Amino acid sequence: MKYGYFDSDKREYVIDKPDTPAPWANYLGSPAYGAIISNNAGGYSFVKSGAAGRLIRYRFNEQDRPGRYVYLRDDEDGDYWSASWQPVGKPLNQYKSICRHGTGYTQIEADYKDIHSQALYYVPQDADYEVWKIKVTNTGGKARKISCFGFVELTCESFYEQDQVNLQYTQFITRTYFKEKFILQTINENCLNAVNESRVDTRFFGLAGAKVATYCGDRAAFLGKYHDYGNPVSVENGKLDGTLNYNLNPCGALHTAFELAPNETKEFIFLLGQKREAQANELISRYEDTSLPEKEIDKLKSYWHSRLANLKVNTPDDNFNNMINTWNAYQCFITFVWSRAASLTYCGQRNGYGYRDTVQDIQGIIHLDPEMALEKIKFMISGQVNHGGALPLVKYSHNPGHEDKPEDESYRKSTGHPSYRADDALWLFPTVWKYVAETGNTALLDEVIPYADKGKDTLFNHLKKAIGFSLNNLGIHGLPAGLHADWNDCLRLGAKGVSVFVALQLYYAFEIMIRFAKFKKDSATEKEMTKQKNRFGKIIEERCWKDDRFVRGITEHDVTVGKKDDPEANIWLNPQSWAVISGFADEERSKAILDLVHKELNTKYGARIMSPSYRKHAFDGALALLFNPSTKENGGIFLQTQGWIILAEALLGRGNRAVEYYLESCPAAQNEIADKRLMEPYAYSQFTESVDSPFEGRSHVHWLTGTASTVMVGSVEGILGLRPDIEGLRLSPAIPSSWKSFTMEKSFRGKKLNIKVNNPDGHESGCKKLTVNGTAAEGDYIPASILKAENEIVLDM
Ligand code: GLC
């Protein structure tokens, strides 16, 4: 079953069947004010943090309730419905709904009994409040009397958890008022005149462009006894009874009533934010001009679309195009901004940025907004401790040079992170490399950046220290210790246990350092790194390769994990894909291990993280055992890892395989099996249940996942073959042999590249001829120095 489609020109996903198998969400806003909204207007808003700045209540794991509800009522016959299909949920043979999720806005249109409504939800660029623009049109032949009610359920206080579980306190610190055009909610209001003004929060829910007929600030009065969001007694009655909250649950509810002649339209705007009374008044008067949203939406679109336009592809595969041009790219920005802070599954109780997640997230936007990436790279570098390890969590309040660290009890207490993880700082290597190669900004290497705890150093030396940290934390056999965990949160290999994934990451880190050292003409570092790389390579060869595969790790009790004859978890995806990505495995071995992966791990919905799932033979530190078989790290299809297998296949030039993996796990390609997949067909999720599950193909944990950036890199660098280095750009696509041609428009170091790839003979990779502005280039390489402002590039495969 299909619930919607991609409108590529508008960069929108259009949901024309509202009874989607799960709430299909979109993100609005900025770090200052965030909002999540589903196709049925469910969701919540928050100031800065979903956990600590929560404005709207939302019940996780329930029926997508409550949300930003707008009710419409025919005042002649008393029939009522909502501007989104839910919460009232009229029969779908009488009620039509179209939801358009776009870049930073969501518009829900409805048609019911000759009334057309449009609810446009957004947060203006750089604003810290939200706008619901409502338009109601009479599409029938007779005059109508209509009431419209806007409703929002406010939290009692900003701390999400307190609001949920500590009502014996939170209900008694808040109340609501009516102020002619808005409901004002105060929290800790007595402190205004007395103790501490900073503890006072005030929120407002207002109406602009129309008159408030009746109002209500108390949820119980709005809903009525034993009524629900779908049948509020006040909407049934056609008026709000004016009750204001004092010691129960607050809400904002405003009613406006109007007549509509045939074809007539009324427009008005609901506004919500954490603002003082005077600011609320000021905002509402600004929005009395109901044409303002149109301009603000244009601004939002041009903000987003100009970023997304930095890479535009046109391949024979529309699913690929829609993801790369818009949705995967947009998701990369969303994860970049929100990290793992707020979704319909997470509410952001971590008070900072997870190190590895964030450094990976940066990779997804480098080709689209290198400036934005740069700022975060420097920020994350300043989360590195002076001895080279990285803070597992860099707090929102991060104060470089003055932070405590995992060695300190205070850090453990405030973050919940007991120690270092083996991989965190090693993610800096691919990320910094990608940034420097994309931009040519090699000066960054010499930029001095503070450490988290004390001291400062050039970025180049920060990287050296990251390597030093791994070398100072070796486990048995001289391989890098797995520490608290590596990329896989579920691997506890023990204090001296070692991770093969980290060994391969370290091998890759040496390679990146060699490239940087060569560029800097720092022959001492180049020599040292080369020596270490070779020495390390030998250990990897001796200890990490068994029979026909790379193993996953060795526990401190010298138990090897991931051997061919293990009864469970005998083959793992990441060490194979990373043996290729890191450059450790030569071509022949690379092909052999990736063939083995395809045979042992690939399924209809992507390659499994490992197989068989743990049931009875897990080693002591295999936390994956906690999950059901074929779920998450226990043999599920962990979607982030698909990006690496796509990249590995593409690096080998095997385009058919790369795109096979791409499409198996591509949300857009699963549009028609939405009932199986459940999650949004325009956003990646964290994992898909695999063969051991009775629900194979079902996906979970939407939007905020490393999948977005990793698959983006696998696609752009891998499949599309856009592989910049310091001096220029290599063009080395790995595509299905069925793609006879495709084009790309790419911004590169301030220049425009119009690239046409011809593949008449059906190759998967390779370059017969490359011309740049009519002149033949050497091999598949375009030196940056020959580029003009705009360039015509043709690659014949
Ligand atoms: C989750 C975590 C990420 C980890 C992955 C694998 O996605 O956010 O940090 O690498 O799981 O365990």
PDB file of all heavy atoms in Angstrom, residues 247-278:
ATOM      1  N   ASN A 247      -4.039  24.917  38.822  1.00  0.00           N
ATOM      2  CA  ASN A 247      -3.788  23.644  39.500  1.00  0.00           C
ATOM      3  C   ASN A 247      -4.297  22.384  38.802  1.00  0.00           C
ATOM      4  O   ASN A 247      -4.463  21.357  39.448  1.00  0.00           O
ATOM      5  CB  ASN A 247      -4.324  23.671  40.933  1.00  0.00           C
ATOM      6  CG  ASN A 247      -3.574  24.685  41.769  1.00  0.00           C
ATOM      7  OD1 ASN A 247      -2.492  25.128  41.373  1.00  0.00           O
ATOM      8  ND2 ASN A 247      -4.121  25.051  42.904  1.00  0.00           N
ATOM      9  N   LEU A 248      -4.579  22.486  37.507  1.00  0.00           N
ATOM     10  CA  LEU A 248      -4.805  21.235  36.743  1.00  0.00           C
ATOM     11  C   LEU A 248      -3.878  21.271  35.536  1.00  0.00           C
ATOM     12  O   LEU A 248      -2.732  21.667  35.692  1.00  0.00           O
ATOM     13  CB  LEU A 248      -6.280  21.109  36.346  1.00  0.00           C
ATOM     14  CG  LEU A 248      -7.262  20.732  37.467  1.00  0.00           C
ATOM     15  CD1 LEU A 248      -8.674  20.740  36.957  1.00  0.00           C
ATOM     16  CD2 LEU A 248      -6.933  19.372  38.062  1.00  0.00           C
ATOM     17  N   ASN A 249      -4.356  20.876  34.371  1.00  0.00           N
ATOM     18  CA  ASN A 249      -3.472  20.860  33.199  1.00  0.00           C
ATOM     19  C   ASN A 249      -3.754  22.050  32.298  1.00  0.00           C
ATOM     20  O   ASN A 249      -4.899  22.261  31.899  1.00  0.00           O
ATOM     21  CB  ASN A 249      -3.688  19.579  32.408  1.00  0.00           C
ATOM     22  CG  ASN A 249      -3.295  18.372  33.212  1.00  0.00           C
ATOM     23  OD1 ASN A 249      -2.122  18.155  33.472  1.00  0.00           O
ATOM     24  ND2 ASN A 249      -4.279  17.604  33.652  1.00  0.00           N
ATOM     25  N   PRO A 250      -2.708  22.796  31.935  1.00  0.00           N
ATOM     26  CA  PRO A 250      -2.934  23.959  31.089  1.00  0.00           C
ATOM     27  C   PRO A 250      -3.186  23.579  29.626  1.00  0.00           C
ATOM     28  O   PRO A 250      -2.762  22.519  29.169  1.00  0.00           O
ATOM     29  CB  PRO A 250      -1.614  24.724  31.197  1.00  0.00           C
ATOM     30  CG  PRO A 250      -0.601  23.698  31.535  1.00  0.00           C
ATOM     31  CD  PRO A 250      -1.300  22.634  32.324  1.00  0.00           C
ATOM     32  N   CYS A 251      -3.824  24.446  28.912  1.00  0.00           N
ATOM     33  CA  CYS A 251      -3.888  24.336  27.457  1.00  0.00           C
ATOM     34  C   CYS A 251      -4.103  25.723  26.901  1.00  0.00           C
ATOM     35  O   CYS A 251      -4.394  26.667  27.640  1.00  0.00           O
ATOM     36  CB  CYS A 251      -5.000  23.389  27.004  1.00  0.00           C
ATOM     37  SG  CYS A 251      -6.649  24.106  27.065  1.00  0.00           S
ATOM     38  N   GLY A 252      -3.937  25.837  25.611  1.00  0.00           N
ATOM     39  CA  GLY A 252      -4.337  27.057  24.920  1.00  0.00           C
ATOM     40  C   GLY A 252      -5.429  26.660  23.956  1.00  0.00           C
ATOM     41  O   GLY A 252      -5.222  25.758  23.140  1.00  0.00           O
ATOM     42  N   ALA A 253      -6.606  27.282  24.064  1.00  0.00           N
ATOM     43  CA  ALA A 253      -7.680  26.984  23.109  1.00  0.00           C
ATOM     44  C   ALA A 253      -8.373  28.295  22.779  1.00  0.00           C
ATOM     45  O   ALA A 253      -8.747  29.052  23.687  1.00  0.00           O
ATOM     46  CB  ALA A 253      -8.665  25.984  23.700  1.00  0.00           C
ATOM     47  N   LEU A 254      -8.460  28.590  21.486  1.00  0.00           N
ATOM     48  CA  LEU A 254      -9.070  29.845  21.039  1.00  0.00           C
ATOM     49  C   LEU A 254     -10.056  29.533  19.923  1.00  0.00           C
ATOM     50  O   LEU A 254      -9.788  28.699  19.054  1.00  0.00           O
ATOM     51  CB  LEU A 254      -7.991  30.801  20.523  1.00  0.00           C
ATOM     52  CG  LEU A 254      -6.954  31.264  21.548  1.00  0.00           C
ATOM     53  CD1 LEU A 254      -5.811  32.015  20.850  1.00  0.00           C
ATOM     54  CD2 LEU A 254      -7.574  32.122  22.643  1.00  0.00           C
ATOM     55  N   HIS A 255     -11.170  30.221  19.959  1.00  0.00           N
ATOM     56  CA  HIS A 255     -12.256  29.958  19.024  1.00  0.00           C
ATOM     57  C   HIS A 255     -12.539  31.230  18.241  1.00  0.00           C
ATOM     58  O   HIS A 255     -12.595  32.312  18.807  1.00  0.00           O
ATOM     59  CB  HIS A 255     -13.470  29.513  19.869  1.00  0.00           C
ATOM     60  CG  HIS A 255     -14.788  29.577  19.172  1.00  0.00           C
ATOM     61  ND1 HIS A 255     -15.950  29.902  19.831  1.00  0.00           N
ATOM     62  CD2 HIS A 255     -15.156  29.329  17.887  1.00  0.00           C
ATOM     63  CE1 HIS A 255     -16.975  29.858  18.993  1.00  0.00           C
ATOM     64  NE2 HIS A 255     -16.527  29.508  17.800  1.00  0.00           N
ATOM     65  N   THR A 256     -12.721  31.068  16.930  1.00  0.00           N
ATOM     66  CA  THR A 256     -13.181  32.199  16.126  1.00  0.00           C
ATOM     67  C   THR A 256     -14.329  31.705  15.250  1.00  0.00           C
ATOM     68  O   THR A 256     -14.342  30.534  14.854  1.00  0.00           O
ATOM     69  CB  THR A 256     -12.030  32.823  15.299  1.00  0.00           C
ATOM     70  OG1 THR A 256     -12.520  33.980  14.648  1.00  0.00           O
ATOM     71  CG2 THR A 256     -11.439  31.875  14.293  1.00  0.00           C
ATOM     72  N   ALA A 257     -15.294  32.564  14.992  1.00  0.00           N
ATOM     73  CA  ALA A 257     -16.480  32.137  14.233  1.00  0.00           C
ATOM     74  C   ALA A 257     -16.699  33.111  13.081  1.00  0.00           C
ATOM     75  O   ALA A 257     -16.418  34.304  13.203  1.00  0.00           O
ATOM     76  CB  ALA A 257     -17.693  32.116  15.149  1.00  0.00           C
ATOM     77  N   PHE A 258     -17.151  32.579  11.953  1.00  0.00           N
ATOM     78  CA  PHE A 258     -17.321  33.450  10.776  1.00  0.00           C
ATOM     79  C   PHE A 258     -18.312  32.836   9.804  1.00  0.00           C
ATOM     80  O   PHE A 258     -18.631  31.645   9.890  1.00  0.00           O
ATOM     81  CB  PHE A 258     -15.970  33.686  10.080  1.00  0.00           C
ATOM     82  CG  PHE A 258     -15.151  32.437   9.917  1.00  0.00           C
ATOM     83  CD1 PHE A 258     -15.285  31.631   8.793  1.00  0.00           C
ATOM     84  CD2 PHE A 258     -14.230  32.044  10.907  1.00  0.00           C
ATOM     85  CE1 PHE A 258     -14.534  30.481   8.651  1.00  0.00           C
ATOM     86  CE2 PHE A 258     -13.477  30.879  10.771  1.00  0.00           C
ATOM     87  CZ  PHE A 258     -13.633  30.098   9.638  1.00  0.00           C
ATOM     88  N   GLU A 259     -18.768  33.680   8.902  1.00  0.00           N
ATOM     89  CA  GLU A 259     -19.649  33.190   7.841  1.00  0.00           C
ATOM     90  C   GLU A 259     -18.866  33.177   6.542  1.00  0.00           C
ATOM     91  O   GLU A 259     -17.994  34.024   6.328  1.00  0.00           O
ATOM     92  CB  GLU A 259     -20.856  34.120   7.701  1.00  0.00           C
ATOM     93  CG  GLU A 259     -21.766  33.981   8.895  1.00  0.00           C
ATOM     94  CD  GLU A 259     -23.097  34.716   8.713  1.00  0.00           C
ATOM     95  OE1 GLU A 259     -23.423  35.134   7.579  1.00  0.00           O
ATOM     96  OE2 GLU A 259     -23.784  34.856   9.716  1.00  0.00           O
ATOM     97  N   LEU A 260     -19.182  32.227   5.704  1.00  0.00           N
ATOM     98  CA  LEU A 260     -18.481  32.127   4.421  1.00  0.00           C
ATOM     99  C   LEU A 260     -19.504  32.042   3.295  1.00  0.00           C
ATOM    100  O   LEU A 260     -20.288  31.083   3.228  1.00  0.00           O
ATOM    101  CB  LEU A 260     -17.616  30.871   4.371  1.00  0.00           C
ATOM    102  CG  LEU A 260     -16.305  30.829   5.148  1.00  0.00           C
ATOM    103  CD1 LEU A 260     -15.656  29.461   5.004  1.00  0.00           C
ATOM    104  CD2 LEU A 260     -15.348  31.918   4.657  1.00  0.00           C
ATOM    105  N   ALA A 261     -19.484  33.031   2.420  1.00  0.00           N
ATOM    106  CA  ALA A 261     -20.320  32.949   1.214  1.00  0.00           C
ATOM    107  C   ALA A 261     -19.681  31.925   0.279  1.00  0.00           C
ATOM    108  O   ALA A 261     -18.508  31.573   0.446  1.00  0.00           O
ATOM    109  CB  ALA A 261     -20.367  34.325   0.566  1.00  0.00           C
ATOM    110  N   PRO A 262     -20.396  31.411  -0.714  1.00  0.00           N
ATOM    111  CA  PRO A 262     -19.768  30.486  -1.662  1.00  0.00           C
ATOM    112  C   PRO A 262     -18.476  31.091  -2.227  1.00  0.00           C
ATOM    113  O   PRO A 262     -18.441  32.284  -2.535  1.00  0.00           O
ATOM    114  CB  PRO A 262     -20.833  30.309  -2.756  1.00  0.00           C
ATOM    115  CG  PRO A 262     -22.129  30.583  -2.064  1.00  0.00           C
ATOM    116  CD  PRO A 262     -21.830  31.608  -1.013  1.00  0.00           C
ATOM    117  N   ASN A 263     -17.444  30.283  -2.274  1.00  0.00           N
ATOM    118  CA  ASN A 263     -16.115  30.683  -2.773  1.00  0.00           C
ATOM    119  C   ASN A 263     -15.348  31.641  -1.868  1.00  0.00           C
ATOM    120  O   ASN A 263     -14.245  32.051  -2.207  1.00  0.00           O
ATOM    121  CB  ASN A 263     -16.193  31.342  -4.162  1.00  0.00           C
ATOM    122  CG  ASN A 263     -16.512  30.320  -5.204  1.00  0.00           C
ATOM    123  OD1 ASN A 263     -15.996  29.201  -5.137  1.00  0.00           O
ATOM    124  ND2 ASN A 263     -17.384  30.657  -6.141  1.00  0.00           N
ATOM    125  N   GLU A 264     -15.936  32.006  -0.778  1.00  0.00           N
ATOM    126  CA  GLU A 264     -15.230  32.952   0.092  1.00  0.00           C
ATOM    127  C   GLU A 264     -14.182  32.228   0.953  1.00  0.00           C
ATOM    128  O   GLU A 264     -14.365  31.067   1.326  1.00  0.00           O
ATOM    129  CB  GLU A 264     -16.239  33.670   1.005  1.00  0.00           C
ATOM    130  CG  GLU A 264     -15.621  34.884   1.689  1.00  0.00           C
ATOM    131  CD  GLU A 264     -16.548  35.538   2.704  1.00  0.00           C
ATOM    132  OE1 GLU A 264     -17.759  35.181   2.768  1.00  0.00           O
ATOM    133  OE2 GLU A 264     -16.043  36.390   3.464  1.00  0.00           O
ATOM    134  N   THR A 265     -13.095  32.930   1.240  1.00  0.00           N
ATOM    135  CA  THR A 265     -12.017  32.360   2.063  1.00  0.00           C
ATOM    136  C   THR A 265     -11.769  33.248   3.278  1.00  0.00           C
ATOM    137  O   THR A 265     -11.811  34.476   3.162  1.00  0.00           O
ATOM    138  CB  THR A 265     -10.706  32.295   1.244  1.00  0.00           C
ATOM    139  OG1 THR A 265     -10.917  31.433   0.128  1.00  0.00           O
ATOM    140  CG2 THR A 265      -9.547  31.763   2.065  1.00  0.00           C
ATOM    141  N   LYS A 266     -11.532  32.643   4.428  1.00  0.00           N
ATOM    142  CA  LYS A 266     -11.070  33.404   5.600  1.00  0.00           C
ATOM    143  C   LYS A 266      -9.670  32.901   5.957  1.00  0.00           C
ATOM    144  O   LYS A 266      -9.396  31.706   5.890  1.00  0.00           O
ATOM    145  CB  LYS A 266     -11.997  33.148   6.798  1.00  0.00           C
ATOM    146  CG  LYS A 266     -13.283  33.956   6.774  1.00  0.00           C
ATOM    147  CD  LYS A 266     -13.080  35.276   7.510  1.00  0.00           C
ATOM    148  CE  LYS A 266     -14.303  36.168   7.608  1.00  0.00           C
ATOM    149  NZ  LYS A 266     -15.099  36.455   6.447  1.00  0.00           N
ATOM    150  N   GLU A 267      -8.833  33.844   6.335  1.00  0.00           N
ATOM    151  CA  GLU A 267      -7.466  33.487   6.711  1.00  0.00           C
ATOM    152  C   GLU A 267      -7.149  34.049   8.087  1.00  0.00           C
ATOM    153  O   GLU A 267      -7.491  35.204   8.372  1.00  0.00           O
ATOM    154  CB  GLU A 267      -6.448  34.122   5.759  1.00  0.00           C
ATOM    155  CG  GLU A 267      -6.556  33.666   4.337  1.00  0.00           C
ATOM    156  CD  GLU A 267      -5.424  34.248   3.487  1.00  0.00           C
ATOM    157  OE1 GLU A 267      -4.653  35.081   4.000  1.00  0.00           O
ATOM    158  OE2 GLU A 267      -5.315  33.852   2.338  1.00  0.00           O
ATOM    159  N   PHE A 268      -6.502  33.283   8.904  1.00  0.00           N
ATOM    160  CA  PHE A 268      -6.050  33.786  10.203  1.00  0.00           C
ATOM    161  C   PHE A 268      -4.893  32.918  10.668  1.00  0.00           C
ATOM    162  O   PHE A 268      -4.530  31.926   9.998  1.00  0.00           O
ATOM    163  CB  PHE A 268      -7.199  33.804  11.222  1.00  0.00           C
ATOM    164  CG  PHE A 268      -8.048  32.567  11.194  1.00  0.00           C
ATOM    165  CD1 PHE A 268      -7.740  31.483  11.975  1.00  0.00           C
ATOM    166  CD2 PHE A 268      -9.167  32.494  10.340  1.00  0.00           C
ATOM    167  CE1 PHE A 268      -8.517  30.336  11.932  1.00  0.00           C
ATOM    168  CE2 PHE A 268      -9.947  31.339  10.297  1.00  0.00           C
ATOM    169  CZ  PHE A 268      -9.626  30.255  11.090  1.00  0.00           C
ATOM    170  N   ILE A 269      -4.300  33.285  11.783  1.00  0.00           N
ATOM    171  CA  ILE A 269      -3.030  32.662  12.169  1.00  0.00           C
ATOM    172  C   ILE A 269      -3.007  32.375  13.669  1.00  0.00           C
ATOM    173  O   ILE A 269      -3.306  33.262  14.471  1.00  0.00           O
ATOM    174  CB  ILE A 269      -1.865  33.616  11.810  1.00  0.00           C
ATOM    175  CG1 ILE A 269      -1.770  33.746  10.283  1.00  0.00           C
ATOM    176  CG2 ILE A 269      -0.551  33.135  12.390  1.00  0.00           C
ATOM    177  CD1 ILE A 269      -0.886  34.879   9.821  1.00  0.00           C
ATOM    178  N   PHE A 270      -2.672  31.171  14.023  1.00  0.00           N
ATOM    179  CA  PHE A 270      -2.391  30.864  15.428  1.00  0.00           C
ATOM    180  C   PHE A 270      -0.880  30.951  15.638  1.00  0.00           C
ATOM    181  O   PHE A 270      -0.100  30.541  14.770  1.00  0.00           O
ATOM    182  CB  PHE A 270      -2.876  29.458  15.794  1.00  0.00           C
ATOM    183  CG  PHE A 270      -4.374  29.312  15.783  1.00  0.00           C
ATOM    184  CD1 PHE A 270      -5.017  28.613  14.774  1.00  0.00           C
ATOM    185  CD2 PHE A 270      -5.140  29.887  16.788  1.00  0.00           C
ATOM    186  CE1 PHE A 270      -6.403  28.474  14.758  1.00  0.00           C
ATOM    187  CE2 PHE A 270      -6.528  29.759  16.780  1.00  0.00           C
ATOM    188  CZ  PHE A 270      -7.160  29.055  15.768  1.00  0.00           C
ATOM    189  N   LEU A 271      -0.495  31.464  16.778  1.00  0.00           N
ATOM    190  CA  LEU A 271       0.929  31.609  17.090  1.00  0.00           C
ATOM    191  C   LEU A 271       1.209  30.996  18.447  1.00  0.00           C
ATOM    192  O   LEU A 271       0.372  31.086  19.355  1.00  0.00           O
ATOM    193  CB  LEU A 271       1.299  33.097  17.160  1.00  0.00           C
ATOM    194  CG  LEU A 271       1.201  33.893  15.863  1.00  0.00           C
ATOM    195  CD1 LEU A 271       1.192  35.380  16.177  1.00  0.00           C
ATOM    196  CD2 LEU A 271       2.380  33.556  14.955  1.00  0.00           C
ATOM    197  N   LEU A 272       2.387  30.383  18.571  1.00  0.00           N
ATOM    198  CA  LEU A 272       2.741  29.758  19.843  1.00  0.00           C
ATOM    199  C   LEU A 272       4.213  30.011  20.133  1.00  0.00           C
ATOM    200  O   LEU A 272       5.054  29.890  19.232  1.00  0.00           O
ATOM    201  CB  LEU A 272       2.497  28.247  19.748  1.00  0.00           C
ATOM    202  CG  LEU A 272       3.042  27.372  20.885  1.00  0.00           C
ATOM    203  CD1 LEU A 272       2.279  27.619  22.178  1.00  0.00           C
ATOM    204  CD2 LEU A 272       2.959  25.897  20.515  1.00  0.00           C
ATOM    205  N   GLY A 273       4.519  30.357  21.374  1.00  0.00           N
ATOM    206  CA  GLY A 273       5.923  30.532  21.714  1.00  0.00           C
ATOM    207  C   GLY A 273       6.112  30.741  23.197  1.00  0.00           C
ATOM    208  O   GLY A 273       5.147  30.874  23.956  1.00  0.00           O
ATOM    209  N   GLN A 274       7.370  30.720  23.566  1.00  0.00           N
ATOM    210  CA  GLN A 274       7.701  31.007  24.967  1.00  0.00           C
ATOM    211  C   GLN A 274       8.066  32.487  25.033  1.00  0.00           C
ATOM    212  O   GLN A 274       9.208  32.856  24.762  1.00  0.00           O
ATOM    213  CB  GLN A 274       8.869  30.131  25.392  1.00  0.00           C
ATOM    214  CG  GLN A 274       9.296  30.368  26.821  1.00  0.00           C
ATOM    215  CD  GLN A 274       9.922  29.119  27.406  1.00  0.00           C
ATOM    216  OE1 GLN A 274       9.289  28.078  27.469  1.00  0.00           O
ATOM    217  NE2 GLN A 274      11.169  29.222  27.806  1.00  0.00           N
ATOM    218  N   LYS A 275       7.096  33.311  25.322  1.00  0.00           N
ATOM    219  CA  LYS A 275       7.284  34.757  25.251  1.00  0.00           C
ATOM    220  C   LYS A 275       6.573  35.425  26.412  1.00  0.00           C
ATOM    221  O   LYS A 275       5.595  34.894  26.935  1.00  0.00           O
ATOM    222  CB  LYS A 275       6.652  35.287  23.951  1.00  0.00           C
ATOM    223  CG  LYS A 275       7.290  34.764  22.678  1.00  0.00           C
ATOM    224  CD  LYS A 275       8.557  35.513  22.363  1.00  0.00           C
ATOM    225  CE  LYS A 275       9.260  34.897  21.175  1.00  0.00           C
ATOM    226  NZ  LYS A 275      10.606  35.394  21.025  1.00  0.00           N
ATOM    227  N   ARG A 276       7.031  36.604  26.745  1.00  0.00           N
ATOM    228  CA  ARG A 276       6.361  37.441  27.733  1.00  0.00           C
ATOM    229  C   ARG A 276       5.152  38.117  27.085  1.00  0.00           C
ATOM    230  O   ARG A 276       5.055  38.194  25.862  1.00  0.00           O
ATOM    231  CB  ARG A 276       7.335  38.497  28.272  1.00  0.00           C
ATOM    232  CG  ARG A 276       8.468  37.906  29.102  1.00  0.00           C
ATOM    233  CD  ARG A 276       7.977  37.492  30.487  1.00  0.00           C
ATOM    234  NE  ARG A 276       8.830  36.453  31.057  1.00  0.00           N
ATOM    235  CZ  ARG A 276       9.814  36.693  31.919  1.00  0.00           C
ATOM    236  NH1 ARG A 276      10.111  37.896  32.293  1.00  0.00           N
ATOM    237  NH2 ARG A 276      10.495  35.676  32.414  1.00  0.00           N
ATOM    238  N   GLU A 277       4.300  38.689  27.950  1.00  0.00           N
ATOM    239  CA  GLU A 277       3.042  39.254  27.466  1.00  0.00           C
ATOM    240  C   GLU A 277       3.244  40.329  26.387  1.00  0.00           C
ATOM    241  O   GLU A 277       2.582  40.324  25.347  1.00  0.00           O
ATOM    242  CB  GLU A 277       2.289  39.844  28.670  1.00  0.00           C
ATOM    243  CG  GLU A 277       0.883  40.228  28.342  1.00  0.00           C
ATOM    244  CD  GLU A 277       0.116  40.711  29.586  1.00  0.00           C
ATOM    245  OE1 GLU A 277       0.522  40.361  30.727  1.00  0.00           O
ATOM    246  OE2 GLU A 277      -0.872  41.434  29.399  1.00  0.00           O
ATOM    247  N   ALA A 278       4.184  41.221  26.639  1.00  0.00           N
ATOM    248  CA  ALA A 278       4.391  42.318  25.692  1.00  0.00           C
ATOM    249  C   ALA A 278       4.880  41.790  24.347  1.00  0.00           C
ATOM    250  O   ALA A 278       4.454  42.240  23.278  1.00  0.00           O
ATOM    251  CB  ALA A 278       5.409  43.305  26.265  1.00  0.00           C
TER     252      ALA A 278
END
